[in-house]
Amino acid sequence: MTSKILIPVDFSEYSQNAIEVGCEIAKQTYHDIDLVHIFTDHTNIYSNAIDTPDLIDPRVGMAKRDMQHVISRIIEKYPQVNINTIFKDGNLYEEIKKLTHSNAYDAIVMGTKGSSGLDALLIGSNMYDVFQNSMTPVLAIPLNSKKFKKDKIGLLCNFKDGEIDALKQAIKVFNTDFELILIHINTDNSPMSSIDKKFDSFIPQIIEETGIDNISYVVKNQSFFIQYKENISSAIDSVISDELIDILLVTKSKKSFLRQITSENIVKRMAYQIKIPKFFAKS
């Protein structure tokens, strides 16, 4: 069965950036790409154009021309990548949900600005809502991420099986040729000796189940939060910066430590504050 990536396209610089990254992934991992444009501003604008050609809305022709320009650029730069286009009417989240339920996609690749301001909030919200409404992982691409890299991939770690499952989902997209950095946020001030023991048993489990053996780990202790008056998402950002992490894997689970140890909604905050690509796995 062909491996596929789904990329929503609205012809903005954000989706164009997501297309660029998606093509780099496809080139390296032999994925096909489905580009989907959803007409969300008018009911049945696209289906009416198909059923009644005399009543074609000019926005349909404009979108098709814009999509053809996108495809031409892809063919010129990535001739080895297979591209398919999809046009739909309706709600963005519902239509993507339908597509991912009827097709096996390894990931949805979406662009996001990942900074402050109303535009970023709306774009971040779109990405987060797609993630919430789909059973397919979402790879969120910030606008400043112009070149795709996967040398170092970070995984938020609390020694749960779901985290290995998230890693398996990521492997379908990125393969296994990367250094894995496990990030543990020690909010309950556990002794480092006990944390090291957990890693000593968890890392062999990762190696056995995924085949990845280039693994290191980083622990942020409670003293970090006290000294620097930081929250958890800031602590994660500091690890990303210190370790030069290219992509962060985030586990979505009701049992996730991210939802147990703090009242702040970390997953949603990170959807709005994206500085590197983040892979939001499904539980």
Side-chain angles (χ1 to χ4, degrees):
M1 184 173 62
T2 302
S3 298
K4 295 169 65 174
I5 294 170
L6 179 66
I7 307 178
V9 178
D10 63 3
F11 310 112
S12 67
E13 59 181 334
Y14 310 110
S15 67
Q16 183 56 44
N17 201 47
I19 291 168
E20 188 74 20
V21 172
C23 287
E24 287 288 341
I25 293 171
K27 181 180 73 172
Q28 296 179 30
T29 59
Y30 306 104
H31 280 80
D32 287 355
I33 293 177
D34 282 357
L35 303 178
V36 58
H37 177 72
I38 299 170
F39 296 95
T40 60
D41 54 353
H42 189 279
T43 303
N44 297 330
I45 180 175
Y46 182 67
S47 58
N48 287 344
I50 300 300
D51 297 336
T52 313
D54 293 340
L55 299 178
I56 292 179
D57 190 295
R59 287 170 293 185
V60 174
M62 187 180 302
K64 286 193 169 184
R65 286 192 297 273
D66 288 344
M67 185 69 85
Q68 190 55 53
H69 291 321
V70 169
I71 293 170
S72 296
R73 287 196 299 268
I74 293 173
I75 291 173
E76 182 178 356
K77 190 171 182 179
Y78 303 98
Q80 68 275 60
V81 175
N82 292 322
I83 302 290
N84 180 49
T85 58
I86 301 169
F87 293 92
K88 293 284 185 180
D89 294 306
N91 177 279
L92 173 69
Y93 324 121
E94 287 300 317
E95 293 306 316
I96 289 180
K97 184 177 180 179
K98 291 175 187 175
L99 281 170
T100 55
H101 277 203
S102 58
N103 296 274
Y105 292 104
D106 288 336
I108 302 166
V109 180
M110 291 192 69
T112 184
K113 190 172 182 179
S115 62
S116 60
L118 180 60
D119 286 345
L121 180 65
L122 293 173
I123 295 164
S125 178
N126 279 341
M127 192 285 295
Y128 184 75
D129 288 337
V130 166
F131 164 64
Q132 287 288 76
N133 283 280
S134 169
M135 291 305 295
T136 301
V138 174
L139 177 62
I141 309 297
L143 189 60
N144 62 354
S145 181
K146 297 294 184 183
K147 186 176 180 181
F148 174 68
K149 283 183 64 181
K150 62 179 183 72
D151 298 333
K152 292 186 176 184
I153 294 184
L155 172 63
L156 301 179
C157 177
N158 203 37
F159 315 107
K160 302 293 185 183
D161 289 340
E163 293 152 9
I164 297 180
D165 185 58
L167 185 56
K168 290 176 180 177
Q169 294 175 45
I171 287 170
K172 290 181 179 180
V173 180
F174 306 121
N175 290 333
T176 59
D177 54 337
F178 56 83
E179 178 185 352
L180 176 64
I181 301 174
L182 305 174
I183 304 168
H184 178 70
I185 308 299
N186 184 20
T187 57
D188 58 4
N189 212 25
S190 297
M192 274 303 300
S193 58
S194 67
I195 294 174
D196 286 336
K197 286 181 180 178
K198 289 181 178 180
F199 277 115
D200 287 344
S201 62
F202 194 58
I203 288 175
Q205 185 181 350
I206 292 174
I207 295 171
E208 181 180 355
E209 294 194 33
T210 68
I212 295 172
D213 57 6
N214 186 7
I215 303 174
S216 59
Y217 62 87
V218 177
V219 178
K220 281 289 184 183
N221 287 310
Q222 194 176 54
S223 58
F224 174 88
F225 301 100
I226 296 171
Q227 180 178 355
Y228 297 103
K229 298 180 180 179
E230 294 282 5
N231 56 37
I232 292 170
S233 52
S234 296
I236 294 167
D237 280 339
S238 73
V239 175
I240 290 171
S241 177
D242 293 344
E243 300 298 323
L244 302 176
I245 290 172
D246 299 313
I247 300 167
L248 182 69
L249 310 186
V250 184
T251 306
K252 169 66 165 59
S253 171
K254 291 181 179 178
K255 295 182 180 179
S256 170
F257 79 105
L258 292 174
R259 296 191 183 274
Q260 291 177 352
I261 61 182
T262 179
S263 60
E264 62 176 319
N265 189 331
I266 300 297
V267 172
K268 191 166 187 177
R269 284 193 57 173
M270 288 196 298
Y272 292 160
Q273 301 173 8
I274 295 177
K275 297 178 182 178
I276 64 169
K278 289 180 181 173
F279 183 90
F280 292 83
K282 299 303 298 189
S283 59

